[in-house]
Amino acid sequence: MNADVTQNPATPARNLLARIGTGHLVLAALLLAYPLVSSDFFLTQIGGYSLIFGMLALSLSLLAGYGGMVSLAQISFAGVAGYTVAIFGENNSNILGFGWPWWLVMPLALFFAATSSALIGWVSVRTEGIYTIMITLAVATAAFYFVRQNYTLFNGFPGYTGLRAPIVFGVNFRDPVPFYYMCLVAATLSYAAVLYAARSTFGLTLQAIRDNPRRMRAIGFDVTAHKVVAWFYAGLIAGLAGVLLVWFNGRISPGTINVAAAINVLIIAVIGGLKHPIGPFVGAVMVVLMQTFAIDIVGAERFNTLIGVFFLAIVFFSPDGILGLWGQLRQRLAQEDLRSRQ
Amino acid sequence: MRIHRRTLLALALATGLTAPAMAVAQAEDIKIGVLATFEGAFTVLGEDGERGALTALDEVGGMAAGNKIVVVRGSSDASPDSAIRAARKLVEQDGVKILVGPLSGDEGIAVKDYAKTQPGVTFINGSSAAQDTTLRDPAENFFRFSTDGAQWMAGLGTYAYNEKGYKNVAVVAEDYSFPYTQVFGFMAEFCKAGGKVPSKSWVPIGNKDYSSVIAAIPDDVDAVYVALGGADAVNFLTQFQQSGGEAPLIGGSITVDQTVLTSKGRLRDVLIGTPAAGPTADTNDTPEWNAFVEAYKKQEGAFPSPSLFAHAYYIGMKAALLALEETGGKLDDDGANFRKVLSSLSFETPTGKVSLDKNRNAIADIYLTEVTEGPDGNLLNKLIKVVPQVNQTLGIDEAEFLALGAVSRENPSCP
């Protein structure tokens, strides 16, 4: 059913550049030029890592922003993809590791992530609001404890090590610059897909369902099916992020997908703002910078307090996250502008 | 409006471009990274580790060969991922050439793997004590002056069998590489002496409810060997006492450590008389140890007696400082000379002489202890016996020792 609803309604042929928009072009140029000015650390540990967590938060904001379903289990779907890479690809933990090539493992990982997401979605669309959060939190917690205690499939606490990013045409994708561009391409694809889907018939239907499911059902739309498809797409994005995350870390263990990580994703989405798909990425950059450097500002004992206070302040001053702050600022500037013209 | 937007954009651009440049470190002082668990279930242990490292630094007035030492801290939560992230930040962003840490078993194995990708940086272990951090597939630039968890058990198995008369012992331990190593060390001696271990329970880190574990302990065992750390040990011991557990205990090195003995509650009834072994003993009364305790107590928030984490980080930091002193603080050859000096370093610590084997793992004295009540009501580890100069293969021939296989949930076994 999704094949026909995702069709873009015929738009008048416009200049492609104009459709993309100046803001996006400037942003793209900046991101493409970023490796020229940054150290390897800022390229991967800040840049790549922010893009990966931005994608995870994007998959949450796709569900929450357009579908009204807040999920805490996105990190678990990333974990499904990550463990798939470890089990079917190569690892050096001497457990499983079928050694399949990356071009086979990666689609498989995405498929597993998306399918498990759709399955969990199918269960949780019967709930609403806080209950969706509870049920997905339960899923995330259960997934964490399961992989930590299962040794035959997931190798328990230590997890899998020695997971390598592919080397294609002599380019090692774990080297800082190729890795950054790989993350950038993946993030751009996910971002563009969400932007596109939001304006498609499917996206509009989903938003209508978010606003009034009963009315949509009365008109004759299959509410559950639309929601489950949204979960499937969100799972795809989370899975892509999960694959990049294990290539980035070179390893995966239960610590990668614990409850703290699940909540981290939610925090990133909320800090950035759920109103626009750029929000998660803005939030990810802020959160990653904070988590990396807070320990240098206040020392080892209280750095988590500083991070907490910062998040509290953002949510307090702008319930819409950093995007909301930007909106407020723009409004004020516009007013000032009008005043100065008088 | 357009003007404002452009100004803002330019501002954003400018800050974005300069921020990475500003953050690039430029220092003439020697930076040493200290990686410990400042968050999660092992926070108390990590903070005491840091105290140990700072004690070593204070001894030399924060200077080595005329260079000021700057400590940069990195925090993990005992998971290997977080340890790697913190280590990467210290090495790749802060530019430390010497890193002391990490604290926990699997973190050590992960950091060892990372060390292989950073040949110009010297990694000196904190207190992580998994066997395979140095025994199998070691990294050239990873040094452990603090001995491993199997070494820490030296003398305990024989003591439990011969002196205490325990023939059947059940094992309760956390489910990761460090407790595997500890159980291995204990059972190697205990099974050799003739003892049997009919049941082993592996519990996840951070477990809160031990009722099913306690119920699964067979009735006919003479004692229970417990290798749990921090909050887990306190939770287990409390519940064991409440459920009327009567079997005497045998302690892993961190189970009856100061981080557990100083906790509040009715633990003392079950704990007094518990034999254990480890790299330190609270009632050690050599002048070197007493001087160390005095120096340690000057640190903020110190325990009555340094925990083994403080001790391990102290030894690691001390080794780094001694080697720096000898090389004149020079690390310009990517630390090659520094590491050469480290490899052949042999020095007197508060707990006797420490030197390294060919895998850069320590050979050191191990202390057999028993929990007693101190003069002011504190619980202390009373020194029973010193096992001198224990090496990583526990005195067994290396080939024979390697043939015993890697430590795991199943290995060793003597039901």
Side-chain angles (χ1 to χ4, degrees), chain B residues 56-143:
Chain B
L57 199 58
D58 288 350
E59 267 182 13
V60 292
M63 307 277 280
N67 296 296
K68 194 166 177 289
I69 305 288
V70 179
V71 168
V72 191
R73 289 165 186 80
S75 169
S76 69
D77 62 6
S79 75
D81 301 49
S82 66
I84 291 295
R85 226 183 120 61
R88 274 204 173 126
K89 193 233 161 197
L90 290 172
V91 170
E92 294 169 31
Q93 174 58 26
D94 297 321
V96 304
K97 290 288 170 209
I98 303 168
L99 190 151
V100 179
L103 179 126
S104 175
D106 281 303
E107 293 186 309
I109 295 177
V111 169
K112 173 213 31 174
D113 286 335
Y114 172 64
K116 290 179 180 171
T117 67
Q118 298 288 341
V121 180
T122 308
F123 295 80
I124 299 173
N125 185 50
S127 58
S128 92
Q131 195 172 57
D132 280 348
T133 310
T134 51
L135 186 65
R136 290 178 180 82
D137 191 22
E140 290 295 319
N141 50 345
F142 190 98
F143 297 78

Side-chain angles (χ1 to χ4, degrees), chain A residues 6 45 58 80 108 112 184 197-198 202 211 243 273 292 294 303:
Chain A
T6 48
Q45 299 290 316
L58 176 69
V80 169
L108 192 71
F112 280 157
L184 188 58
F202 169 72
D211 295 337
V243 172
T292 311
F303 73 99

Side-chain angles (χ1 to χ4, degrees), chain A:
Chain A
M1 53 126 289
N2 59 333
D4 53 346
V5 285
T6 48
Q7 288 287 324
N8 204 17
T11 39
R14 275 192 287 160
N15 186 338
L16 183 69
L17 286 182
R19 264 183 73 188
I20 292 175
T22 341
H24 281 153
L25 287 177
V26 173
L27 187 64
L30 282 180
L31 287 173
L32 283 172
Y34 180 62
L36 297 177
V37 292
S38 80
S39 66
D40 284 355
F41 179 81
F42 266 85
L43 204 53
T44 53
Q45 299 290 316
I46 305 293
Y49 197 66
S50 299
L51 287 168
I52 293 172
F53 267 80
M55 284 165 69
L56 277 170
L58 176 69
S59 88
L60 164 61
S61 99
L62 162 69
L63 287 175
Y66 300 112
M69 302 169 282
V70 178
S71 159
L72 281 171
Q74 296 317 106
I75 191 80
S76 311
F77 307 135
V80 169
Y83 272 105
T84 309
V85 170
I87 291 169
F88 289 91
E90 269 179 51
N91 66 62
N92 59 10
S93 300
N94 298 323
I95 294 169
L96 301 170
F98 302 144
W100 292 10
W102 68 273
W103 46 265
L104 214 58
V105 170
M106 199 172 157
L108 192 71
L110 295 189
F111 173 75
F112 280 157
T115 323
S116 55
S117 173
L119 261 175
I120 300 301
W122 187 55
V123 174
S124 56
V125 291
R126 276 140 227 281
T127 60
E128 260 176 27
I130 188 92
Y131 299 103
T132 313
I133 303 182
M134 292 308 290
I135 214 167
T136 50
L137 176 62
V139 167
T141 314
F144 164 66
Y145 279 105
F146 181 68
V147 296
R148 193 167 72 166
Q149 284 175 282
N150 181 298
Y151 276 80
T152 45
L153 202 53
F154 298 107
N155 199 26
F157 186 83
Y160 288 100
T161 57
L163 313 175
R164 285 183 197 89
I167 298 174
V168 186
F169 303 124
V171 179
N172 182 355
F173 275 93
R174 187 55 187 87
D175 286 343
V177 175
F179 182 77
Y180 170 77
Y181 280 122
M182 179 167 68
C183 290
L184 188 58
V185 167
T188 311
L189 280 177
S190 316
Y191 172 75
V194 170
L195 262 191
Y196 176 79
R199 294 175 203 161
S200 69
T201 320
F202 169 72
L204 294 172
T205 317
L206 190 67
Q207 289 167 60
I209 288 174
R210 171 196 64 196
D211 295 337
N212 199 333
R214 279 180 68 194
R215 184 172 294 173
M216 290 304 281
R217 197 171 284 127
I219 302 173
F221 283 93
D222 189 339
V223 170
T224 308
H226 275 82
K227 284 184 169 180
V228 171
V229 170
W231 277 87
F232 184 86
Y233 288 150
L236 269 183
I237 296 175
L240 191 55
V243 172
L244 292 175
L245 190 62
V246 295
W247 283 344
F248 168 78
N249 282 326
R251 53 179 302 123
I252 183 163
S253 68
T256 317
I257 59 162
N258 62 13
V259 175
I263 290 176
N264 219 359
V265 174
L266 179 68
I267 289 177
I268 288 172
V270 172
I271 292 289
L274 292 167
K275 291 232 162 120
H276 189 273
I278 197 69
F281 292 100
V282 176
V285 172
M286 294 305 291
V287 170
V288 168
L289 282 176
M290 277 304 283
Q291 289 181 341
T292 311
F293 293 109
I295 194 165
D296 294 339
I297 303 174
V298 286
E301 280 76 30
R302 293 283 171 265
F303 73 99
N304 276 326
T305 315
L306 179 69
I307 297 174
V309 167
F310 173 75
F311 295 160
L312 211 61
I314 287 194
V315 178
F316 183 75
F317 288 112
S318 168
D320 287 335
I322 295 171
L323 282 190
L325 281 181
W326 172 244
Q328 289 174 14
L329 188 71
R330 209 159 60 171
Q331 242 172 12
R332 190 168 305 166
L333 286 179
Q335 281 169 356
E336 221 170 82
D337 203 43
L338 280 177
R339 239 175 268 137
S340 62
R341 271 188 206 171
Q342 280 168 355

Side-chain angles (χ1 to χ4, degrees), chain B residues 297-326:
Chain B
K297 277 188 182 166
K298 294 199 185 94
Q299 301 296 327
E300 206 179 316
F303 291 116
S305 178
S307 71
L308 75 79
F309 301 97
H311 173 260
Y313 274 81
Y314 170 84
I315 303 273
M317 184 59 106
K318 180 94 188 164
L321 295 171
L322 285 173
L324 276 176
E325 194 68 47
E326 201 169 322

Side-chain angles (χ1 to χ4, degrees), chain B residues 125-396:
Chain B
N125 185 50
S127 58
S128 92
Q131 195 172 57
D132 280 348
T133 310
T134 51
L135 186 65
R136 290 178 180 82
D137 191 22
E140 290 295 319
N141 50 345
F142 190 98
F143 297 78
R144 175 153 66 192
F145 287 90
S146 57
T147 55
D148 78 17
Q151 291 172 278
W152 291 354
M153 290 286 97
L156 184 61
T158 325
Y159 180 76
Y161 189 85
N162 291 338
E163 311 291 324
K164 287 279 180 181
Y166 302 147
K167 309 287 180 238
N168 280 305
V169 168
V171 165
V172 177
E174 279 154 340
D175 197 359
Y176 69 101
S177 59
F178 165 64
Y180 299 162
T181 309
Q182 288 245 287
V183 171
F184 180 94
F186 171 73
M187 285 176 69
E189 280 187 18
F190 185 71
C191 298
K192 207 169 163 189
K196 299 272 178 241
V197 177
S199 108
K200 285 190 260 183
S201 308
W202 302 107
V203 296
I205 296 181
N207 193 21
K208 302 282 184 294
D209 180 7
Y210 289 89
S211 49
S212 62
V213 175
I214 292 168
I217 297 173
D219 291 334
D220 58 347
V221 293
D222 302 320
V224 181
Y225 173 87
V226 186
L228 305 167
D232 290 352
V234 176
N235 284 335
F236 171 80
L237 295 168
T238 312
Q239 293 175 29
F240 185 71
Q241 188 259 342
Q242 283 167 354
S243 65
E246 279 171 0
L249 302 175
I250 305 170
S253 302
I254 65 171
T255 313
V256 289
D257 183 61
Q258 279 298 320
T259 53
V260 174
L261 293 180
T262 50
S263 71
K264 305 281 182 281
R266 300 195 52 211
L267 293 180
R268 52 183 62 231
D269 307 346
V270 279
L271 277 175
I272 288 176
T274 301
T280 63
D282 300 332
T283 64
N284 188 349
D285 57 2
T286 61
E288 293 84 6
W289 176 258
N290 287 332
F292 171 57
V293 173
E294 285 315 309
Y296 161 84
K297 277 188 182 166
K298 294 199 185 94
Q299 301 296 327
E300 206 179 316
F303 291 116
S305 178
S307 71
L308 75 79
F309 301 97
H311 173 260
Y313 274 81
Y314 170 84
I315 303 273
M317 184 59 106
K318 180 94 188 164
L321 295 171
L322 285 173
L324 276 176
E325 194 68 47
E326 201 169 322
T327 57
K330 285 199 173 57
L331 291 163
D332 43 7
D333 53 349
D334 264 352
N337 191 32
F338 174 70
R339 280 192 291 280
K340 215 175 108 203
V341 172
L342 266 187
S343 315
S344 53
L345 201 62
S346 166
F347 62 107
E348 286 298 327
T349 71
T351 52
K353 190 181 94 132
V354 169
S355 57
L356 294 184
D357 64 14
K358 68 177 172 52
N359 284 344
R360 296 161 299 284
N361 190 76
I363 301 167
D365 293 351
I366 299 298
Y367 294 78
L368 190 64
T369 61
E370 209 165 278
V371 179
T372 49
E373 198 163 348
D376 47 358
N378 291 336
L379 290 184
L380 291 171
N381 278 314
K382 189 179 71 178
L383 176 61
I384 303 285
K385 194 177 107 182
V386 182
V387 187
Q389 298 298 300
V390 180
N391 68 2
Q392 195 173 23
T393 59
L394 310 173
I396 303 170

